[in-house]
Amino acid sequence: MSVKPARENWWGETWAVFLKDVRSEMRTPSAVATILLFGLVTLVTVSFLVRVEGQGLTELGLIENYVEVLQADPNARILGTVPEGTPTRHAVLAGLLWIILFFSAMAGLPRTFLKEEEMRTAPALRLTALPSAVFAGKLLFNVGLMLTVVSVIFPLYLFMLHPWIKNWPLFVGYLVAGSLGMAGSTTIVGAMVARAGGRTYLMLPLAFPILLPILVFAINGTAAASRGIPGNYLIPLVSYVVAMVTLSALLFDYVWSDR
Amino acid sequence: MNPELWVVAGVSLIAVGGLFFYMLRLEGRVRDLENRE
Amino acid sequence: MNSQTKKPNAGGVALWKWLLLPLMGSVAVLSYTWAGALPEFQSPETARIIFWHVPHAILSMIWFFTAGFFSLRLLKNGDLKDDTRAEKAAEVGLVLTVLATITGAVFSKMQWAGGLNSPWYEGYWQWDPKQTAILIVILIFFAYFGLRSSVDEAHRRARLCAVYAVIGAVLVPVLYYTLPHLPIFSSVHPTKVISTREGMSPEYRTVFWMSTLGFLGFSLWSYQMQVRFAFVAERILARRENAGAEVRVEAVRRPVTES
């Protein structure tokens, strides 16, 4: 394969950085593997929290109103921690979904930049590509990574946890917006972690406060969407993400470049 | 006025005074350090 | 006092620092005497905590803005002195934020949770949107100091921390003012008490601004002391290192000259 000269236009450069990352990921899938394994392990772990014991699964699967069931039979609670179709279950499952996605994102998203530092390819990238193109390319890659993970984890979540979603379009909207937000607002943090000598333990404390508003909106939003009740968390979520991505794009050069 | 409030006000006054004199001492020490350089 | 020594700063303490004592002293007395109890509060006597709680919250934000300002200046000119200034400003801001959280928790127990009639551990933390926001701010600046302590190279540490501090300084007003006032969240915090004429009685407004001014003075003083101390310590360490280098050079040179 011939080595092509660096492209002149910004979009071309961004796309080249993105494609380079995708190719490298296909060769040694370190980020996808990390993030998927983390997601799976977390998913299975939290499943035990809401699992309905033994025969209770089929018996309680039809229950719409938790309170009435409890009034009729005070012992109903012992059959399962959070019976299906109840508001409690919607809220708990919404929280668990974002816990799964959050922890897998924390494990996988800094890999993009860590890889560059570990393979010692970062100086070459610094010389050949514009910092903003690097940021945009890595951002695209992280978004793609999150969407891949969501497309694997979400079906498993549906099959294993039975969330009983009422408003599908809105639910999927929150899912996509939330994953984009997580990828978008932690891309710069991943770069900082890589530049801080690859100390991966920094990722969680640095990213968590920035992501917490996104998590609050996304958890409330998915809970409302799966219950089918109104509650507009999508606009603040998207505005927050747009603001964070803009801010990161403005500041990225200072993290990335050696001066 | 409630006598308890005077106690609280007195405690606050002592706290403010303590903070002030602590800062004064700090300033003295920093200045000593600067002068000894 | 020998004020005619070689150093120009051998003089006394600035006048405004002396004025803090009568100012804050009168706040301490007036807040319990002149500014009376507020009957519209659940616990009228403890309403005075706003003289401590609100100034801390306002000033913490001002100090985080200061940290953001010095961080931006560092990113522009690369002067490590601005890194120290930003660090110390963030430190003062963090102390004020923790104080605001503690006073706010006491306020929350007294005003929203039935005061001393509730169990001893209850009422301090209610996940009010503003409590969530201040918790996120504390986490942001904890992470900032975590980042500071885990990067060794001074210039890189300065730049990475500056980027994070700028993100933090942008997020603080968003977290304090925008998110809690979104219609989707219901805050128990009163709004527009300070900004409107009808919000506070004249006595309350006077004591409140006196207290804000006093705390501004104390925080400025402690910031100044921290920065001056850090600069002195830096100079002494640098000189000691230079001296050590000279000694080492001498030790290497001596056998050559003697032989």
Side-chain angles (χ1 to χ4, degrees), chain A residues 68-129:
Chain A
E68 278 176 26
V69 171
L70 273 183
Q71 277 168 350
D73 177 15
N75 294 325
R77 193 197 287 268
I78 58 166
L79 287 171
T81 36
V82 210
E84 295 186 15
T86 58
T88 322
R89 190 181 177 89
H90 287 301
V92 168
L93 287 192
L96 291 181
L97 174 64
W98 288 101
I99 288 174
I100 298 164
L101 292 178
F102 170 72
F103 278 105
S104 31
M106 288 301 97
L109 291 184
R111 292 295 317 156
T112 335
F113 283 102
L114 283 173
K115 215 174 184 175
E116 303 280 1
E117 301 286 342
E118 278 167 12
M119 314 282 270
R120 311 203 178 274
T121 48
L125 193 60
R126 233 166 253 141
L127 286 175
T128 46

Side-chain angles (χ1 to χ4, degrees), chain A:
Chain A
M1 208 169 91
S2 64
V3 182
K4 285 178 190 162
R7 288 170 218 210
E8 289 299 307
N9 59 344
W10 186 83
W11 282 109
E13 246 175 62
T14 302
W15 191 243
V17 171
F18 172 69
L19 280 186
K20 172 200 82 68
D21 274 355
V22 172
R23 279 201 206 107
S24 141
E25 190 59 40
M26 300 229 264
R27 226 169 281 151
T28 46
S30 72
V32 171
T34 317
I35 202 168
L36 272 181
L37 274 175
F38 232 95
L40 276 178
V41 169
T42 326
L43 174 67
V44 174
T45 312
V46 299
S47 299
F48 290 100
L49 182 63
V50 287
R51 144 182 101 144
V52 179
E53 307 260 330
Q55 286 194 323
L57 181 69
T58 43
E59 284 166 19
L60 286 170
L62 299 169
I63 292 171
E64 282 287 351
N65 197 331
Y66 192 24
V67 178
E68 278 176 26
V69 171
L70 273 183
Q71 277 168 350
D73 177 15
N75 294 325
R77 193 197 287 268
I78 58 166
L79 287 171
T81 36
V82 210
E84 295 186 15
T86 58
T88 322
R89 190 181 177 89
H90 287 301
V92 168
L93 287 192
L96 291 181
L97 174 64
W98 288 101
I99 288 174
I100 298 164
L101 292 178
F102 170 72
F103 278 105
S104 31
M106 288 301 97
L109 291 184
R111 292 295 317 156
T112 335
F113 283 102
L114 283 173
K115 215 174 184 175
E116 303 280 1
E117 301 286 342
E118 278 167 12
M119 314 282 270
R120 311 203 178 274
T121 48
L125 193 60
R126 233 166 253 141
L127 286 175
T128 46
L130 282 172
S132 57
V134 173
F135 177 72
K138 298 282 185 192
L139 180 68
L140 270 183
F141 179 78
N142 275 349
V143 166
L145 194 63
M146 274 315 284
L147 289 181
T148 315
V149 170
V150 166
S151 60
V152 175
I153 296 290
F154 183 57
L156 289 173
Y157 164 85
L158 280 183
F159 299 142
M160 287 180 169
L161 295 176
H162 319 272
W164 280 39
I165 297 161
K166 296 236 172 68
N167 191 341
W168 274 94
L170 200 57
F171 194 96
V172 173
Y174 281 118
L175 203 57
V176 171
S179 337
L180 294 187
M182 286 214 258
S185 46
T186 52
T187 299
I188 195 166
V189 181
M192 288 167 84
V193 169
R195 295 286 280 161
R199 289 174 170 80
T200 36
Y201 60 80
L202 281 174
M203 187 66 188
L204 198 61
L206 288 179
F208 178 67
I210 297 175
L211 282 186
L212 198 55
I214 294 181
L215 288 177
V216 169
F217 292 137
I219 290 172
N220 281 308
T222 40
S226 69
R227 282 178 69 186
I229 57 168
N232 194 353
Y233 300 88
L234 207 52
I235 292 167
L237 172 58
V238 171
S239 343
Y240 184 84
V241 173
V242 169
M244 278 309 299
V245 170
T246 318
L247 191 61
S248 320
L250 289 174
L251 292 170
F252 179 72
D253 190 17
Y254 297 112
V255 176
W256 174 246
S257 303
D258 276 318
R259 249 179 298 178

